[in-house]
Amino acid sequence: MATAASPFAGSTREPRYTKVAIWLHWLIGLAVIANIGLAMLTEGMPRDVHRAAMGVHKALGIAILALTMVRIVWRLLHKPPPLPESISRWQRSLSRIVHFLFYALLLMLPLSGWVWMSAADRPIDVFGLFTVPSIAAPDKALAELMHERHELLGLTMLALVVIHIAAALKHQFVDRSGIPARMNPF
């Protein structure tokens, strides 16, 4: 059993995130990776293939936004498990910064796409279930600006995903810290 001085003393298992937090993490993470792939890998494909992929990309972006809002509410109501004491101060600080950036990008990226599509007067159909209402009046200059911002945010997200995966692999195979097990759905 853990002592007050050390939440991991005498324990062979690290505290874990809740099942809801774990599943939201993996659903959002896989959706983000799929969306980055859809945007980047279909760029040079025939117009009809690219257009179909972008329809899925937009719908998935709205789903990511909704799941992120659920995750933020869940996170506010359920404290995440503490990091092991073996994690250095600089890694703890970097972890907080990366998590903040993820949440910011998980909101800003789909919102920028939504504003872009609204300003371009292109409705977003969510998997044939409903059409998302516009949040900006048609405006060609705004559409072009948001297109640029959306792509920049997407590249930033890609870099952050790569850093996150590299850090998880380092913690698992180099440090053997057990941190990745906290998010293992199985």
Side-chain angles (χ1 to χ4, degrees), residues 155-170:
L155 291 172
T156 305
M157 177 64 86
L158 175 60
L160 204 56
V161 167
V162 169
I163 290 167
H164 183 66
I165 292 170
L169 292 172
K170 176 192 175 289

Side-chain angles (χ1 to χ4, degrees), residues 13 42 54-55 63 68 115 129 135 137 164 179:
R13 292 189 58 164
T42 65
M54 287 302 94
T68 298
V115 172
L129 300 172
I135 57 173
H164 183 66
I179 288 178

Side-chain angles (χ1 to χ4, degrees), residues 72-127:
I72 290 170
V73 169
W74 188 263
R75 174 92 183 237
L76 291 172
L77 298 174
H78 298 85
K79 188 176 178 186
L83 290 169
E85 289 180 4
S86 62
I87 303 301
S88 66
R89 185 182 306 170
W90 74 266
Q91 286 178 322
R92 289 171 187 274
S93 296
L94 187 58
S95 173
R96 281 191 292 277
I97 292 167
V98 168
H99 279 92
F100 173 80
L101 290 173
F102 263 127
Y103 283 113
L105 286 170
L106 287 168
L107 294 171
M108 292 183 342
L109 196 51
L111 285 172
S112 68
W114 190 359
V115 172
W116 169 23
M117 290 299 101
S118 296
D121 200 21
R122 291 190 249 158
I124 299 173
D125 175 71
V126 180
F127 303 115

Side-chain angles (χ1 to χ4, degrees), residues 2-183:
T3 65
S6 170
F8 306 109
S11 175
T12 57
R13 292 189 58 164
E14 301 290 336
R16 293 171 49 81
Y17 282 86
T18 64
K19 287 192 183 302
V20 172
I22 290 168
W23 284 103
L24 286 169
H25 171 270
W26 286 102
L27 279 171
I28 293 168
L30 292 172
V32 165
I33 291 167
N35 242 10
I36 291 169
L38 282 169
M40 296 180 96
L41 299 176
T42 65
E43 191 68 33
M45 292 189 171
R47 188 174 181 93
D48 58 331
V49 173
H50 179 69
R51 191 170 276 181
M54 287 302 94
V56 174
H57 175 85
K58 294 175 206 176
L60 206 48
I62 296 298
I64 290 167
L65 179 61
L67 288 169
T68 298
M69 290 189 295
V70 170
R71 183 159 183 203
I72 290 170
V73 169
W74 188 263
R75 174 92 183 237
L76 291 172
L77 298 174
H78 298 85
K79 188 176 178 186
L83 290 169
E85 289 180 4
S86 62
I87 303 301
S88 66
R89 185 182 306 170
W90 74 266
Q91 286 178 322
R92 289 171 187 274
S93 296
L94 187 58
S95 173
R96 281 191 292 277
I97 292 167
V98 168
H99 279 92
F100 173 80
L101 290 173
F102 263 127
Y103 283 113
L105 286 170
L106 287 168
L107 294 171
M108 292 183 342
L109 196 51
L111 285 172
S112 68
W114 190 359
V115 172
W116 169 23
M117 290 299 101
S118 296
D121 200 21
R122 291 190 249 158
I124 299 173
D125 175 71
V126 180
F127 303 115
L129 300 172
F130 61 92
T131 301
V132 179
S134 291
I135 57 173
D139 180 335
K140 185 176 175 156
L142 177 61
E144 289 174 8
L145 176 68
M146 294 312 294
H147 178 195
E148 290 173 15
R149 296 297 188 264
H150 188 73
E151 286 185 351
L152 180 61
L153 290 170
L155 291 172
T156 305
M157 177 64 86
L158 175 60
L160 204 56
V161 167
V162 169
I163 290 167
H164 183 66
I165 292 170
L169 292 172
K170 176 192 175 289
H171 281 295
Q172 181 66 31
F173 298 110
V174 176
D175 300 342
R176 300 190 186 278
S177 65
I179 288 178
R182 298 163 8 128
M183 268 298 173

